Amino acid sequence: MEDGKITAVRDNNGSTDLVVHFENADLAAEIMDKQISNVSMRLLDGRTLSSDQRRKIYATLRDISGYTGYTPEETKEVMKYVYITKTGCDYFSLSDCSMSVARDFINTLIDFCLEYGVIASERLSDRTDDIDMYLYQCIKHRKCAICGRAGEIHHWDAIGMGHDRRHYDDTENRKICLCRMHHTIAHQKGVIDFEQDYHVYGIVYNIE
C-alpha cells in the first residue's frame, strides 16, 4: 500500500480525473515494469469530527458505562477496540479523528446498545449520524426504532389485499422495526404522518 496526496481534481464529463503525488521515487518504474493500469483507492476524510458528533459519542459512552459497570474512560477504550476489530481502522483519538471515523464509531456504539439492550438517556435515533444504518440495525436486532424496546417488523410498503403472505416475496418492500405500541400507532396514522411525527421511515433490508 502506498500513501499519496491528491494534488489536482477534474470533473471529466461524468467521471473524475485525479493527479496523485507519491513520495516513493521507485513507484513509477514499478508501475511501468508490472504494466499496472488499474488501481484501488481509499479516500481519507480530511474533516475532523464535529462538536455534535463528539457530544453524541460521549453521551452514548456514558450510557454504555452505566450498563457495563466500567468507568467512562475504560468504556471508551474498550469500544474503540471493538470498532478497530470490526473495521481494521488504525487507533484513533476522539479529539481529532475524521468525521467519517466519528460517524462509523457512533454506528458501532449504537449497534452495541441495540444488541445488548443498553438504555440510552435519549432516543438513539437522535444520536445517530446515519439514520439508514440505524434503521438497519434496529431491524437486525429486532428493536423498536422509536423506543428501543423489543420489536417486530412493520411493512412500510403494504403487501396489499389478495397476496398470500406465506409465499409473497417482500425482499424489495421497505420495512421498519417497531414495538407493539408503535406498530399500532403506525397503522393508525399511516406512513406519511408517522414519518413526520417520529422522523423514521421504512428501508429495504438486505441481510448481506
Side-chain angles (χ1 to χ4, degrees), residues 18 37 139 160 171 193 208:
L18 299 177
S37 59
I139 295 174
T171 53
D193 288 342
E208 296 179 358

Side-chain angles (χ1 to χ4, degrees), residues 85-160:
T85 301
K86 283 185 174 182
T87 64
C89 166
D90 294 330
Y91 187 83
F92 60 97
S93 169
L94 292 176
S95 63
D96 61 0
C97 68
S98 72
M99 293 188 82
S100 295
V101 168
R103 173 177 169 160
D104 290 343
F105 187 53
I106 292 170
N107 285 341
T108 297
L109 297 178
I110 290 176
D111 191 69
F112 183 91
C113 290
L114 291 170
E115 182 174 1
Y116 293 101
V118 176
I119 304 301
S121 55
E122 62 181 314
R123 286 182 182 172
L124 289 175
S125 59
D126 293 332
R127 292 265 179 90
T128 186
D129 261 13
D130 187 351
I131 188 66
D132 281 353
M133 177 56 73
Y134 169 72
L135 294 169
Y136 176 90
Q137 291 168 335
C138 288
I139 295 174
K140 180 178 73 170
H141 296 300
R142 292 297 191 269
K143 295 295 175 63
C144 178
I146 310 300
C147 65
R149 293 195 290 260
E152 55 196 23
I153 300 303
H154 169 64
H155 286 82
W156 197 261
D157 297 319
I159 293 177

Side-chain angles (χ1 to χ4, degrees), residues 155 157-160 163-173:
H155 286 82
D157 297 319
I159 293 177
H163 290 292
D164 186 340
R165 287 175 175 264
R166 294 170 299 175
H167 303 292
Y168 179 76
D169 182 4
D170 67 350
T171 53
E172 296 303 316
N173 289 60

